[in-house]
Amino acid sequence: MGTVSAGDGNTLAILYDTIRWEEKALYEAARKKGVSVENVDIKALRLRLGGQSDFKDRVVLQRSVSYFKSLHATAALEGLGAKVINPLKVAGITGNKLFAHMELEKAGVRTPKAIAAFSEEAAIQALDEFGYPAVIKPTVGSWGRMIGLLRDRDAARAVIEDREHMFPLYHIYYFEEFVKRPPRDIRAIVVGDRVVAAIYRYSGDGEWKTNMALGGRAEVCPVTEELSDICMKATRAVGGQIVGVDLMEGDDGLMVHEVNNTTEFKNTVRVTGVDIPGLMIDYALSLYKR
């Protein structure tokens, strides 16, 4: 991918570290609209942190997979005057499950019950009080990696002992209740002030995680008033502009279990037919008028 020139003076930048289907789709959507767009590989990015910058007043679609690279690049670019989608606050909160949970709780968004602990023994004691089964999640991570279902104390002890030998980040213990739900969850895409599309993501055979890479499947999910309301409430809670909201259907209604900063939307486009890349480009362009 290269640079498309439209001569309109409003050049978008797409910042990436891995070119996925989504980044290609965004580039093509911009090209079809005659928009100037530059693809910037974060691994080659060099920024002088002060003075004039080519990024001043430019809109940047932050699409980096790496949480830490995304977070620090966003901070630097905003400091140089760029308008980054999503802003630094959003990247910092949504990239950390404990941070996001607390913001959702403060905003009154229904979420799975959760506990946190900061040592091996405290984690075991917390789980004894919380009850089994429980889900252990790394505070930072994606694609369902290192998420485990702890069915009893022995399983918890084994997993936690292993984590004590890992990087210190994994010594922050975050657990959620195992929600009784249908064998599916919901991925909704928010662009600006509305939910533009949503899908059900079904678990694959023998899997409890709703991950397409694990053999799951997707179907269209209607954007009901209930779904729209809770998604927008969650989006506002974290300050999001373009996000993916993941939800579960509990006994008492919908609950949010994650808000994604650089959300994937390939399956949502495939299943719903909604032009999400085009809507994202339109939203990005609208920031030049603000």
Side-chain angles (χ1 to χ4, degrees):
M1 298 194 295
T3 301
V4 172
S5 177
D8 58 7
N10 292 342
T11 303
L12 296 176
I14 299 174
L15 189 62
Y16 68 92
D17 52 12
T18 301
I19 298 177
R20 299 169 291 179
W21 181 94
E22 286 80 1
E23 286 68 51
K24 293 178 182 178
L26 285 166
Y27 179 81
E28 287 302 316
R31 184 185 63 79
K32 290 176 182 177
K33 293 175 181 289
V35 175
S36 298
V37 56
E38 180 184 7
N39 293 287
V40 181
D41 186 344
I42 199 170
K43 296 185 292 296
L45 186 65
R46 301 180 302 280
L47 297 170
R48 188 179 295 276
L49 304 179
Q52 294 298 311
S53 169
D54 292 339
F55 284 98
K56 181 174 174 57
D57 297 325
R58 288 180 67 187
V59 176
V60 179
L61 281 166
Q62 174 63 268
R63 296 294 307 169
S64 300
V65 174
S66 166
Y67 169 63
F68 294 105
K69 288 180 182 177
S70 172
L71 190 66
H72 289 80
T74 297
L77 289 166
E78 285 189 354
L80 294 171
K83 298 178 180 180
V84 185
I85 303 172
N86 289 289
L88 177 61
K89 176 186 175 183
V90 186
I93 292 172
T94 59
N96 184 299
K97 294 177 179 62
L98 190 153
F99 296 172
H101 180 89
M102 298 316 302
E103 292 301 314
L104 294 171
E105 281 281 340
K106 286 190 291 184
V109 178
R110 188 161 179 264
T111 61
K113 295 175 184 177
I115 54 171
F118 304 91
S119 72
E120 180 178 359
E121 287 308 313
I124 294 297
Q125 291 172 13
L127 283 169
D128 286 344
E129 297 167 3
F130 191 61
Y132 296 96
V135 179
I136 184 171
K137 295 184 175 182
T139 55
V140 175
S142 57
W143 297 321
R145 291 170 178 163
M146 296 192 71
I147 293 177
L149 179 59
L150 308 177
R151 299 187 183 277
D152 53 38
R153 200 174 198 268
D154 288 340
R157 176 70 75 181
V159 170
I160 291 169
E161 283 181 353
D162 281 347
R163 293 200 178 201
E164 283 294 304
H165 298 285
M166 297 180 185
F167 188 75
L169 178 65
Y170 299 107
H171 303 169
I172 309 299
Y173 294 102
Y174 176 79
F175 306 99
E176 286 182 355
E177 65 173 317
F178 182 65
V179 176
K180 295 179 180 179
R181 57 169 175 78
R184 67 186 187 188
D185 71 359
I186 298 170
R187 162 66 59 84
I189 305 296
V190 175
V191 179
D193 60 359
R194 67 188 182 100
V195 178
V196 299
I199 57 173
Y200 292 117
R201 303 186 301 183
Y202 287 84
S203 305
D205 293 340
E207 293 287 343
W208 63 275
K209 298 178 186 178
T210 53
N211 191 313
M212 297 298 100
L214 297 175
R217 60 184 175 85
E219 292 181 358
V220 174
C221 172
V223 180
T224 62
E225 184 176 353
E226 179 191 12
L227 177 62
S228 180
D229 285 349
I230 192 171
C231 285
M232 294 314 305
K233 195 172 183 179
T235 300
R236 288 190 291 268
V238 301
Q241 295 172 322
I242 297 175
V243 296
V245 182
D246 293 345
L247 309 98
M248 290 185 286
E249 302 160 281
D251 291 337
D252 299 322
L254 295 174
M255 63 176 67
V256 174
H257 63 95
E258 193 162 345
V259 182
N260 301 278
N261 181 45
T262 55
T263 187
E264 295 178 327
F265 49 86
K266 175 182 177 180
N267 285 309
T268 310
V269 171
R270 176 179 61 82
V271 171
T272 67
V274 175
D275 182 17
I276 294 172
L279 294 171
M280 290 174 63
I281 295 298
D282 288 342
Y283 179 83
L285 292 174
S286 75
L287 296 189
Y288 278 112
K289 303 173 185 178
R290 300 181 186 181

